[in-house]
Amino acid sequence: MFRSLAGRAVVLASLCAAQPVLAQRASTEVPASAPITGVRYEVTANREGLGQHQLHVVTTFGVAGTAPVVLSLPAWTPGAYEIVNFARTVGDFGAAQGADTLRWDKADYDTWRLWPKRAGQVTVTFDVTADTLDNGMSWTKPDFALFNGTNVFLYPEGRTTDFAATVTIKTEPDFLIATGMTRASEAHTFRAANYHELVDMPFFVGQFDLDSAVVSGKTVRFATYPRGVFAGAMRTTAWDQIKRSIPPEVLVFGEVPWDSYTVMHITDSTFGGMSGLEHANSHVDVSAPRGNGSEFQPSLFAHEIFHAWNVKRLRPADLVPYRYDRPQQTGWLWVSEGITDYYADLALVRGGIIDTKGFYGLTSGKIGEIAAAPPFALEDASLNAWIKVRDGTEALYYPKGSLAGFLLDVMIRDASDNRRSLDHVMRDLYQSTYKQGRGFTPEEWWGAIRRASNGKSYDEFYRRYVDGRDPYPWDEALKVIGLRMQADSVPRMGVSLRPEQAGGVRVLELVPGSPALAAGIKQGDVIVSVNEKPAADVFFAGGFRAMYGTKPAGTPIPIVLKRDSATVNVQVPLKYGAGQPALVEDPAASPRAVRLRNGLLRGITDR
Ligand SMILES: [Zn+2]
């Protein structure tokens, strides 16, 4: 999951109106279902239903007798760590065997119980209200539907999730279907090997733009709704970002884990910011129109695609297997989300989407974000994900976890003299846990880091920076790779300004002691020009720094302003002040520091 609102700030708050309900259901409360076989789902997404935000779902399966069948919908969608209870969107529920209607009741929020009359096929039908624009939920327009399997596919309680199933989509002849599911031989039919796979493959049905390319030897599809909004140069740029970010991510793990990958993208003006939700072979983005083509866009793609390995496959043991009926608390989202975000930044610089300065900018932005937040521990922030804390640390396990990844990478490269990196740790755990069919334990995570670091202990690192709230040791760590924090010095007038409709910019406030105040500028004055250039162009297009950023302090700045109806000329002496701290390369860095830094930026180690 990844979401941006103002600027680069990343929050995970869902737009879903539902308040979290922490359904801690003991497994004994709901009886196990009678076994069901041959499960088939059919979802109808036609113009008539879409116009009313409705999907129609038919589930058929076989039973061996009259024992009650107990069926549930998930309470959440993996990756979006909040309890939603999709059963709340279900209406007109019914169950039948041929012409016979079956008795049914609810067993809990998410669960229906029904009584078959005999052995044979059972049909369960219901409607789903699909009116929530959220990448973990279902949403329709008259020509389009997004739905997630967690929203519509029932599973039998207390039985294995290891059942194969097919999904048939009934829709209009001029509608397209995009999903990560494997196509079956029948028309509009797809199959999944088990329930986890089934609910991890969302659907687009309707009229949208769809094209594909081969990246790292496999098909990648780009599906964008509505038609025409993601076109021309913007689409070319998006494709370039996707094509450049995948290969460096493949190199970390040494394999492409999917047969095909689908980027599913919705643009809608009712949505604020940009949000992505990851799956094993697809991801769903929802974006405001201004998000498309934005600076943030390649970070979103690279983040969600990296999740195909980190969290969808390589995952903490706390989250294996997914439990769909309850929150799965974990202290590891700083790895699953934060380190995913570190690798998104690395994919951008290693893939040439941004340059090294861009990477330093993303990193110093995260350092600044954490410096401005109250002290918190990575593990605590991860555990808090489900309850959306309001102490100012919500979702900060993203940037702080990303910085922990950066620190660990530096420390591993330092301890191994650049023969090992965090990349080795990720690949090691991917092979030794995911490939063995399980999640990683804390011992396995720290053990892999210790092995990559020639046996160095990370006990103190864990105690201070993961379980603890100590500030990160930036001076020491940055020196290892020849970087330092520099408080940027920028030309400043010491005024706050607002552009005026009629031209010019109005002085709202003057900083005490500022050169503008000393030169006689007053609150309410309208600045017309700066060195004969229109003031609005100078102050609101970066022009001021361009004009004066390299001039010596004290250089006179000729300013024309209007005060009431009089024109006033003043000369303001140039002064410099501190800007945002920035990460910069240290020109005095040792050759070893430069070697380690280049290793990190390029994804290489020495033999
Ligand atoms: Zn994420």
PDB file of all heavy atoms in Angstrom, residues 1-2 278 303-304 307 337 398, ligand 1:
ATOM      1  N   MET A   1       0.861  -1.184   0.000  1.00  0.00           N
ATOM      2  CA  MET A   1       0.000   0.000   0.000  1.00  0.00           C
ATOM      3  C   MET A   1       0.889   1.221   0.000  1.00  0.00           C
ATOM      4  O   MET A   1       1.935   1.228   0.614  1.00  0.00           O
ATOM      5  CB  MET A   1      -0.859  -0.031   1.272  1.00  0.00           C
ATOM      6  CG  MET A   1      -1.898   1.061   1.346  1.00  0.00           C
ATOM      7  SD  MET A   1      -3.282   0.696   0.275  1.00  0.00           S
ATOM      8  CE  MET A   1      -4.357   2.051   0.648  1.00  0.00           C
ATOM      9  N   PHE A   2       0.451   2.238  -0.680  1.00  0.00           N
ATOM     10  CA  PHE A   2       1.223   3.464  -0.693  1.00  0.00           C
ATOM     11  C   PHE A   2       0.267   4.579  -1.033  1.00  0.00           C
ATOM     12  O   PHE A   2      -0.558   4.437  -1.917  1.00  0.00           O
ATOM     13  CB  PHE A   2       2.316   3.375  -1.755  1.00  0.00           C
ATOM     14  CG  PHE A   2       3.439   4.339  -1.550  1.00  0.00           C
ATOM     15  CD1 PHE A   2       3.869   4.682  -0.280  1.00  0.00           C
ATOM     16  CD2 PHE A   2       4.082   4.893  -2.635  1.00  0.00           C
ATOM     17  CE1 PHE A   2       4.927   5.550  -0.102  1.00  0.00           C
ATOM     18  CE2 PHE A   2       5.144   5.757  -2.484  1.00  0.00           C
ATOM     19  CZ  PHE A   2       5.570   6.081  -1.212  1.00  0.00           C
ATOM     20  N   GLU A 278      -0.878  -3.355  -3.592  1.00  0.00           N
ATOM     21  CA  GLU A 278      -0.072  -4.386  -4.234  1.00  0.00           C
ATOM     22  C   GLU A 278      -0.747  -5.755  -4.277  1.00  0.00           C
ATOM     23  O   GLU A 278      -1.527  -6.091  -3.401  1.00  0.00           O
ATOM     24  CB  GLU A 278       1.248  -4.536  -3.472  1.00  0.00           C
ATOM     25  CG  GLU A 278       1.127  -5.142  -2.067  1.00  0.00           C
ATOM     26  CD  GLU A 278       0.798  -4.141  -0.965  1.00  0.00           C
ATOM     27  OE1 GLU A 278       0.495  -2.977  -1.296  1.00  0.00           O
ATOM     28  OE2 GLU A 278       0.838  -4.513   0.214  1.00  0.00           O
ATOM     29  N   HIS A 303       7.283   1.214  -6.051  1.00  0.00           N
ATOM     30  CA  HIS A 303       6.926   0.696  -4.730  1.00  0.00           C
ATOM     31  C   HIS A 303       5.979  -0.503  -4.872  1.00  0.00           C
ATOM     32  O   HIS A 303       6.234  -1.577  -4.316  1.00  0.00           O
ATOM     33  CB  HIS A 303       6.269   1.820  -3.916  1.00  0.00           C
ATOM     34  CG  HIS A 303       5.772   1.419  -2.561  1.00  0.00           C
ATOM     35  ND1 HIS A 303       6.389   1.826  -1.395  1.00  0.00           N
ATOM     36  CD2 HIS A 303       4.714   0.670  -2.176  1.00  0.00           C
ATOM     37  CE1 HIS A 303       5.726   1.321  -0.353  1.00  0.00           C
ATOM     38  NE2 HIS A 303       4.703   0.625  -0.813  1.00  0.00           N
ATOM     39  N   GLU A 304       4.900  -0.328  -5.610  1.00  0.00           N
ATOM     40  CA  GLU A 304       3.908  -1.401  -5.715  1.00  0.00           C
ATOM     41  C   GLU A 304       4.492  -2.629  -6.407  1.00  0.00           C
ATOM     42  O   GLU A 304       4.188  -3.762  -6.030  1.00  0.00           O
ATOM     43  CB  GLU A 304       2.656  -0.926  -6.450  1.00  0.00           C
ATOM     44  CG  GLU A 304       1.927   0.247  -5.801  1.00  0.00           C
ATOM     45  CD  GLU A 304       1.611   0.044  -4.329  1.00  0.00           C
ATOM     46  OE1 GLU A 304       1.510  -1.117  -3.885  1.00  0.00           O
ATOM     47  OE2 GLU A 304       1.487   1.050  -3.605  1.00  0.00           O
ATOM     48  N   HIS A 307       6.647  -4.745  -4.162  1.00  0.00           N
ATOM     49  CA  HIS A 307       5.836  -5.563  -3.255  1.00  0.00           C
ATOM     50  C   HIS A 307       5.558  -6.966  -3.813  1.00  0.00           C
ATOM     51  O   HIS A 307       5.236  -7.879  -3.049  1.00  0.00           O
ATOM     52  CB  HIS A 307       4.475  -4.907  -3.027  1.00  0.00           C
ATOM     53  CG  HIS A 307       4.404  -3.963  -1.869  1.00  0.00           C
ATOM     54  ND1 HIS A 307       4.919  -4.260  -0.629  1.00  0.00           N
ATOM     55  CD2 HIS A 307       3.812  -2.738  -1.746  1.00  0.00           C
ATOM     56  CE1 HIS A 307       4.654  -3.247   0.208  1.00  0.00           C
ATOM     57  NE2 HIS A 307       3.994  -2.322  -0.444  1.00  0.00           N
ATOM     58  N   GLU A 337       6.713  -2.529   4.283  1.00  0.00           N
ATOM     59  CA  GLU A 337       6.387  -1.266   3.609  1.00  0.00           C
ATOM     60  C   GLU A 337       7.614  -0.353   3.501  1.00  0.00           C
ATOM     61  O   GLU A 337       7.896   0.194   2.446  1.00  0.00           O
ATOM     62  CB  GLU A 337       5.268  -0.534   4.357  1.00  0.00           C
ATOM     63  CG  GLU A 337       3.914  -1.218   4.249  1.00  0.00           C
ATOM     64  CD  GLU A 337       3.358  -1.240   2.833  1.00  0.00           C
ATOM     65  OE1 GLU A 337       3.913  -0.593   1.932  1.00  0.00           O
ATOM     66  OE2 GLU A 337       2.352  -1.941   2.617  1.00  0.00           O
ATOM     67  N   TYR A 398       6.640   3.952   7.030  1.00  0.00           N
ATOM     68  CA  TYR A 398       7.106   4.000   5.630  1.00  0.00           C
ATOM     69  C   TYR A 398       8.441   4.745   5.542  1.00  0.00           C
ATOM     70  O   TYR A 398       9.453   4.146   5.203  1.00  0.00           O
ATOM     71  CB  TYR A 398       6.078   4.685   4.732  1.00  0.00           C
ATOM     72  CG  TYR A 398       4.869   3.865   4.343  1.00  0.00           C
ATOM     73  CD1 TYR A 398       3.821   3.671   5.219  1.00  0.00           C
ATOM     74  CD2 TYR A 398       4.768   3.298   3.078  1.00  0.00           C
ATOM     75  CE1 TYR A 398       2.701   2.935   4.850  1.00  0.00           C
ATOM     76  CE2 TYR A 398       3.657   2.563   2.703  1.00  0.00           C
ATOM     77  CZ  TYR A 398       2.627   2.379   3.593  1.00  0.00           C
ATOM     78  OH  TYR A 398       1.534   1.651   3.224  1.00  0.00           O
TER      79      TYR A 398
HETATM   80 ZN    ZN B   1       3.222  -0.500   0.132  1.00  0.00          ZN
END
